[in-house]
Amino acid sequence: MLPTLTYQTLAITVGTACCTIVPFAFGAKRGLPRGLLPLATGMMTGLCCFGLLPEAGREGGALSLALTTLVAVVYSLLHLRHLHHHPAATTQTAHAHDEVTGSYGTHVHGDSNRPLGILATAIFVHSLLDGSLLVISTDLFTQATMSVTVSLWIHKAFEALSLASLVYWRVSNRQVAARWLTAYVLSFPCGVFLTFWMQQLVTASGLQRVALIVMSVAIGNLIGCLIFDFILPSIGRFKYHKGEVFWLASGFAAATLLLWEL
């Protein structure tokens, strides 16, 4: 398990680091291809519906699904509360952010006027949970490994691009920006290491229970991000880019077929 986990962690970390460079390499002159966000949205939705949620139900039953739902709802309420209190800043920063990113996420839109340290801390904690989810899926819940790995690849790429674009606009000192983004990139492998280390300290009887709780919290957190960083932005763009519905449906179908084959 350890070699596989090491390779996966290294690959996702390097991929995340590469994505943080994009806004600084291209500035406001180039965004992502238009169909990429809805394609990723469809894939993540399919993976969550037919991969992650069924696995949580199989392993932890109704309690695990309830905890997953609770975390997703709490994340959503907190996000909605912040959007409600800062609608003007959200609109202003969204326009500037779209120039760099091609509208690939709203996480920074809703939090764009929040102090960067608070926002970064929230994202770092989320990234730690991503690392925990990778360890647990690889070690204990092997049937969910493919769904988790693909979801993390997609999610981390867009998350890194969103955070990097916000840092690009708000941090003029590039050395400071590099420190922020380095801390973010390293938070994922730190989550992997901490979870793997904690597994060595927990007895075999208690490991399954702890793993189920961490898995439920991490999946709930991921679903909350899926709703606000992928689904809602995609739906909002359909009015102006109707062809993106095709890309979303294609991503959903691709994820469903992938899980069906597995």
Side-chain angles (χ1 to χ4, degrees):
M1 187 275 293
L2 186 57
T4 300
L5 179 62
T6 301
Y7 296 145
Q8 289 178 334
T9 302
L10 181 61
I12 293 176
T13 301
V14 172
T16 301
C18 291
C19 288
T20 61
I21 299 173
V22 171
F24 295 89
F26 300 114
K29 297 180 181 179
R30 186 178 302 181
L32 293 178
R34 180 169 293 173
L36 194 55
L37 174 63
L39 181 67
T41 301
M43 290 189 67
M44 285 193 64
T45 302
L47 291 167
C48 283
C49 290
F50 302 116
L52 298 181
L53 287 176
E55 183 64 18
R58 272 194 300 269
E59 298 291 344
L63 287 177
S64 182
L65 288 175
L67 180 56
T68 298
T69 303
L70 177 62
V71 173
V73 169
V74 169
Y75 178 97
S76 300
L77 290 175
L78 291 174
H79 207 118
L80 284 172
R81 178 176 178 272
H82 188 70
L83 289 176
H84 175 73
H85 285 301
H86 305 285
T90 295
T91 303
Q92 294 168 1
T93 307
H95 175 70
H97 178 256
D98 285 350
E99 293 180 358
V100 175
T101 65
S103 294
Y104 51 62
T106 60
H107 187 89
V108 296
H109 290 183
D111 296 318
S112 55
N113 61 325
R114 188 186 298 186
L116 189 57
I118 297 176
L119 171 60
T121 299
I123 295 179
F124 294 168
V125 171
H126 169 73
S127 190
L128 287 171
L129 286 172
D130 286 340
S132 297
L133 183 59
L134 179 64
V135 175
I136 292 169
S137 68
T138 303
D139 190 18
L140 297 177
F141 310 124
T142 54
Q143 291 183 352
T145 300
M146 178 60 70
S147 297
V148 169
T149 302
V150 176
S151 295
L152 286 177
W153 265 107
I154 298 172
H155 167 65
K156 297 300 290 181
F158 280 81
E159 179 182 82
L161 288 164
S162 293
L163 179 62
S165 66
L166 177 62
V167 172
Y168 172 87
W169 285 108
R170 292 184 56 179
V171 181
S172 57
N173 187 318
R174 292 311 183 214
Q175 290 184 343
V176 174
R179 287 197 289 269
W180 278 112
L181 294 176
T182 299
Y184 161 70
V185 170
L186 294 179
S187 62
F188 177 77
C190 284
V192 172
F193 172 78
L194 289 174
T195 305
F196 186 80
W197 175 67
M198 288 178 61
Q199 283 184 342
Q200 316 309 312
L201 303 179
V202 179
T203 61
S205 59
L207 180 59
Q208 188 82 1
R209 189 176 301 111
V210 172
L212 284 171
I213 293 174
V214 174
M215 181 183 73
S216 299
V217 172
I219 292 177
N221 190 286
L222 188 63
I223 290 174
C225 289
L226 171 63
I227 293 172
F228 283 96
D229 298 344
F230 287 83
I231 294 177
L232 292 182
S234 293
I235 293 175
R237 288 164 59 90
F238 289 162
K239 181 178 179 180
Y240 307 100
H241 307 291
K242 293 182 174 59
E244 292 189 359
V245 176
F246 167 78
W247 290 105
L248 188 145
S250 298
F252 186 84
T256 303
L257 290 174
L258 175 64
L259 293 174
W260 180 270
E261 292 295 328
L262 294 175

